[in-house]
Amino acid sequence: MPVIELRGVCRRYDAGPPALDDVTLTVEPGEAVAVLGPSGSGKSTLLNLVAGLDRPDAGTVTVAGVRLDGLGEAASARYRRAHVGMVFQFFNLLDDLTVTDNVVLPALLAGTSRTEAHRRCAALLESLGLARHAAAYPGRLSGGQRQRVAVARALMNRPTLLLADEPTGALDSASGEDVSRLLTELNAEGQTLILVTHDEILAARCATRTVRIVDGRVHSDEPSAAARPSAGAVR
Ligand SMILES: Nc1ncnc2c1ncn2[C@@H]1O[C@H](COP(=O)(O)OP(=O)(O)OP(=O)(O)O)[C@@H](O)[C@H]1O
Ligand SMILES: [Mg+2]
C-alpha cells in the first residue's frame, strides 16, 4: 500500500494560476523522493498538503491510510504528531531552549514520558554526532549542527514520513554534504523521505526518485542517480 497517495490535487491561493494543478502522485514506503522545480512551481505547497498543514481545493490526499483533505485542525495536529517529521531551510529551532529541550519537545507534546523522551533524545544525538552539544543553545552551533538538531527533532516521534524543504539551502557545501549524507543513511535504514530542493546534486545523492514540478504540474517522475545500480556501492 502506498504511504502517500495524491489524486487530482488542486490548490489555488488567489485569483492567479493554481499553485498545484491536478497532481496525482503515489509514494511507496522506503522511497526517497526529491521534488525539484523552479521557484514558485508549487513544491512547498505540495509538501504542506502532505504534512496536513494545508488542504487541497480539489482532489484527495491520503497518507498512511489517513484522508487528510477535510481533516479538522485537531485531527491534523494528531496526524502530524503521529506520522510527520519536518525539517526546514532555517532550522526553526527554539533559541531559548537547549538542544535537548528542542529535541524532546515533540515527544512531550505527544504524551511520551520525560524519561523515555530523554532516553531517545540521547540516543538520537549520539547517532547524529551531537552528544557533546546536548546542553548547548542552538545559537552557539554551526549551521550544519543546527540542521542535524532539526533532523533529530524531526525523528523524535519515529515519523512515518520525514519531510524536508530545502534542508541544505542555508548551509555551506561541507555542512550541506553532512546533512545529505545523514538523509541518505536514514533512507537506507528504511525512512521514507520527501526532499524539496533546488539542488540537483543533493537530489542525485539522496533520492531514489526525482519528481519535477513545473507550474503546479508533475512534469517528470523518474528514478534518480542514487537508485541506479552503479550508485549501490556508495549506499
Ligand atoms: N500563502 C500563500 N498565499 C498566496 N499565494 C501563495 C501562498 N503560498 C504560496 N503561494 C503561491 O503559490 C505558488 C507556489 O508556491 P510554493 O511556495 O509552493 O512554490 P515553491 O516551488 O516552493 O517555490 P520556492 O522554490 O521559491 O520555495 C507561488 O505562485 C506562490 O506565490
Ligand atoms: Mg518552497
Side-chain angles (χ1 to χ4, degrees), residues 13-14 17-19 37-46 165-166 196 198:
Y13 287 105
D14 301 311
S39 184
S41 57
K43 306 182 297 295
S44 296
T45 301
L46 178 71
D165 198 345
E166 293 286 358
V196 165
H198 285 105

Side-chain angles (χ1 to χ4, degrees), residues 20 34 47 67 76 80 102 112 114 133-134 138 170 174 189-190 201 210-211 215 233:
L20 289 178
L47 209 66
R67 272 283 294 272
S76 292
R80 269 196 302 284
N102 268 281
T112 308
R114 197 160 269 282
H133 301 294
E189 290 161 11
I201 295 169
T210 300
V211 173
D215 294 337

Side-chain angles (χ1 to χ4, degrees), residues 46-109:
L46 178 71
L47 209 66
N48 288 339
L49 290 172
V50 171
L53 291 166
D54 191 17
R55 313 267 170 283
D57 296 305
T60 63
V61 179
T62 310
V63 182
V66 181
R67 272 283 294 272
L68 302 186
D69 49 285
L71 270 195
E73 294 273 324
S76 292
R78 267 199 306 280
Y79 154 77
R80 269 196 302 284
R81 277 202 296 269
H83 292 294
V84 179
M86 289 193 88
V87 178
F88 302 93
Q89 180 173 358
F90 296 109
F91 326 126
N92 292 11
L93 298 170
L94 298 171
D95 288 329
D96 296 337
L97 299 183
T98 64
V99 164
T100 293
D101 287 336
N102 268 281
V103 173
V104 297
L105 192 58
L108 299 180
L109 291 174

Side-chain angles (χ1 to χ4, degrees), residues 120-132:
R120 174 151 174 81
C121 173
L124 278 170
L125 294 181
E126 178 69 41
S127 79
L128 301 190
L130 291 163
R132 69 197 175 86

Side-chain angles (χ1 to χ4, degrees), residues 180-192:
S180 87
R181 197 173 316 117
L182 170 59
L183 295 176
T184 307
E185 284 168 11
L186 290 169
N187 177 246
E189 290 161 11
Q191 177 70 57
T192 308

